[in-house]
Amino acid sequence: MTLSADQNKAVHQLSKVKVGALFMEPGTGKTLTAIELINTTDTDYCLFIVPFSTKENLSKELVKWNFSRPYRIVGVETLSGSDRTYLDIISDMSQANHAFVIVDESLKIKNINAIRTYRTIELGRLAEYRLILNGTPISKNILDLWPQMNFLSPKILKMTENEFKDTFVSYVKFKQDGKWHEFIKNYHNLDYLYSIIAPFVFDAKLNLSKKQKHVSIDYSITERIEQYETIRDNFLNNFMNDPNIFIKMTQSMQMAYCDEPIKLKKVSKLIDDNTVIFCKFIRSKNTLIEAFPTTKVLTYGTGSLGLNLQEYNKIVFFDKTFDYAQQEQAERRIYRMGQSEDVTYYHLTGDVGLESMIDRNIKNKVTMLSAFKKAAMENKGKELIDNL
């Protein structure tokens, strides 16, 4: 196997410490880098904690790269749902002399109050070596760094979660309908933060010679527009300035037209054997599979993580996602090391306000929830809803 320059740098840097983070963008080969890093140690047992949907793909990768250390792969979701599995893993690790715990897609443990996070940290305490892998650059997830660094070692940051937030995050608290909400304004003291974690973090960007092209395909919502407007009007009449209601209702509005027949006609003119289609809803997926049975159809929830699809060079985004990170992950399924062609992304855009709102948020790398909280804090919630 031949490592890239960034992969070699990562192995060289993190082999000097027993805990570390590979914050390498999707497509830069972080799995192979992790394997090479593991091979520099004397570990006699490796535990890979990954999203359940990526277990099979990781297993294939380990076979592909002739990984020879004793190992076990467990879905991070299983840790919170199965006491028996958790106790079995503790038993396995207690018998190892130099255990190594690797957490892939480590944002899955960003909620410090979740059972999965607690158990992952506890398993990490039983290991001599600990490594986290994440495809999102650290500058996008400052607040999420604390639980990840705490997994590696509490000695890295040497501060509680609240101390971390007060040191590096500027945020505003506001109260609406009897509930307190927080809105992050910006980050500060980042040079200090980076200086603390620098010895334990390798951050790599993807640099390919291949070009990326984004194409917007407009369509009119005709057969499903009545469903959309009914949900929208009901939302306006019962609006309570509640983030949860906002997300629920906008999801329902988008699903109302997800299988608009005109969308299928547009897609039929775009696809070929080199095309992957990403959608958001099961309803969309079933419609697409029926219409295009020989085309690979994936949802953002499962298909945007862990898959290597560099044999394809086109993606059709059938439904828009509310989360720019999901779109970025999906794009990197085909734009990654090993891609031999230029790639094209087709974004289907309907003629309703919600579609424009999603596009603006994606462009500004803001989630729908963040956009709502900002509008609510500025007393522009009604204005935001009117744009739908």
Side-chain angles (χ1 to χ4, degrees):
M1 62 184 73
T2 302
L3 301 184
S4 68
D6 277 340
Q7 289 173 320
N8 273 313
K9 289 178 183 177
V11 173
H12 177 72
Q13 175 184 331
L14 297 186
S15 62
K16 299 175 182 178
V17 291
K18 291 189 175 183
V19 300
L22 289 176
F23 289 154
M24 301 173 68
E25 287 191 346
T28 54
K30 62 181 184 293
T31 300
L32 177 56
T33 307
I35 290 173
E36 282 299 283
L37 185 59
I38 293 168
N39 287 335
T40 67
T41 72
D42 59 353
T43 183
D44 54 352
Y45 177 82
C46 292
L47 174 65
F48 292 90
I49 301 175
V50 303
F52 185 84
S53 62
T54 68
K55 285 181 61 178
E56 183 178 352
N57 186 67
L58 175 59
S59 181
K60 292 178 180 177
E61 287 285 294
L62 295 178
V63 172
K64 174 184 177 181
W65 301 116
N66 298 315
F67 187 67
S68 59
R69 305 298 177 97
Y71 69 88
R72 177 171 183 168
I73 304 174
V74 62
V76 66
E77 299 88 347
T78 304
L79 283 182
S80 59
S82 175
D83 294 342
R84 179 177 178 179
T85 299
Y86 178 57
L87 294 175
D88 284 347
I89 294 173
I90 291 176
S91 177
D92 290 343
M93 294 188 66
S94 66
Q95 299 177 45
N97 295 315
H98 309 285
F100 202 137
V101 176
I102 305 96
V103 181
D104 194 10
E105 301 299 342
S106 55
L107 283 180
K108 291 287 185 178
I109 61 168
K110 68 180 181 180
N111 182 359
I112 196 62
N113 297 313
I115 294 175
R116 68 174 67 172
T117 303
Y118 170 79
R119 290 184 170 178
T120 297
I121 290 174
E122 288 302 301
L123 291 174
R125 298 291 183 260
L126 300 176
E128 181 174 349
Y129 304 99
R130 294 179 288 279
L131 179 69
I132 56 176
L133 286 69
N134 183 21
T136 304
I138 58 177
S139 59
K140 295 182 181 180
N141 297 281
I142 300 304
L143 202 56
D144 298 331
L145 273 177
W146 188 85
Q148 296 178 78
M149 292 298 114
N150 190 45
F151 163 77
L152 293 180
S153 173
K155 296 179 181 179
I156 295 176
L157 293 174
K158 298 179 182 178
M159 60 182 73
T160 66
E161 183 180 21
N162 285 333
E163 288 172 339
F164 179 84
K165 185 162 67 172
D166 290 341
T167 304
F168 302 113
V169 181
S170 294
Y171 58 96
V172 175
K173 287 187 176 182
F174 62 99
K175 191 174 184 179
Q176 282 193 321
D177 299 322
K179 296 180 181 179
W180 282 100
H181 305 280
E182 288 184 356
F183 175 74
I184 296 176
K185 296 175 60 178
N186 52 54
Y187 303 110
H188 51 254
N189 298 326
L190 295 188
D191 289 343
Y192 172 53
L193 173 60
Y194 294 154
S195 71
I196 295 174
I197 67 175
F200 310 99
V201 172
F202 184 83
D203 188 2
K205 305 283 190 264
L206 178 64
N207 295 302
L208 295 182
S209 60
K210 305 305 174 185
K211 297 179 180 178
Q212 299 181 86
K213 181 169 67 172
H214 292 263
V215 179
S216 180
I217 306 294
D218 297 329
Y219 68 93
S220 296
I221 300 172
T222 55
E223 294 190 29
R224 305 289 189 261
I225 190 63
E226 186 175 344
Q227 298 175 40
Y228 173 87
E229 291 177 343
T230 298
I231 297 172
R232 180 195 61 191
D233 293 344
N234 183 62
F235 186 21
L236 293 175
N237 293 333
N238 296 281
F239 180 54
M240 297 173 61
N241 288 331
D242 187 324
N244 293 325
I245 293 179
F246 175 76
I247 295 299
K248 180 180 178 180
M249 295 304 294
T250 48
Q251 291 269 18
S252 298
M253 290 164 65
Q254 186 184 22
M255 187 167 64
Y257 60 85
C258 71
D259 56 354
E260 169 66 44
I262 292 178
K263 292 176 73 177
L264 296 174
K265 293 180 181 180
K266 295 284 186 177
V267 171
S268 67
K269 299 177 181 179
L270 301 175
I271 61 173
D272 56 28
D273 293 340
N274 299 314
T275 305
V276 179
I277 303 177
F278 271 90
C279 60
K280 183 173 182 177
F281 305 102
I282 297 300
R283 180 168 146 188
S284 299
K285 185 175 183 180
N286 291 339
T287 300
L288 288 165
I289 290 175
E290 182 178 353
F292 312 110
T294 62
T295 302
K296 182 175 284 295
V297 179
L298 300 170
T299 59
Y300 293 105
T302 56
S304 62
L305 293 177
L307 291 181
N308 301 322
L309 301 174
Q310 55 266 56
E311 67 269 28
Y312 299 89
N313 63 4
K314 296 179 183 177
I315 289 180
V316 174
F317 291 108
F318 188 74
D319 301 318
K320 295 183 185 298
T321 172
F322 288 0
D323 188 344
Y324 71 90
Q326 284 189 331
Q327 179 178 306
E328 187 176 57
Q329 282 277 0
E331 291 175 7
R332 293 304 173 85
R333 295 313 98 206
I334 66 171
Y335 192 74
R336 58 194 303 109
M337 291 176 62
Q339 178 57 260
S340 59
E341 305 288 340
D342 293 341
V343 302
T344 303
Y345 309 108
Y346 297 100
H347 303 268
L348 270 65
T349 301
D351 56 349
V352 291
L354 178 59
E355 296 275 294
S356 299
M357 184 183 297
I358 297 172
D359 280 345
R360 287 195 299 273
N361 291 343
I362 292 292
K363 181 179 180 180
N364 296 324
K365 297 186 176 182
V366 175
T367 66
M368 288 286 283
L369 182 59
S370 296
F372 176 85
K373 288 183 176 180
K374 183 176 187 296
M377 182 185 68
E378 297 174 350
N379 294 317
K380 296 181 179 179
K382 182 62 167 59
E383 178 182 330
L384 180 71
I385 303 306
D386 287 342
N387 289 331
L388 296 173

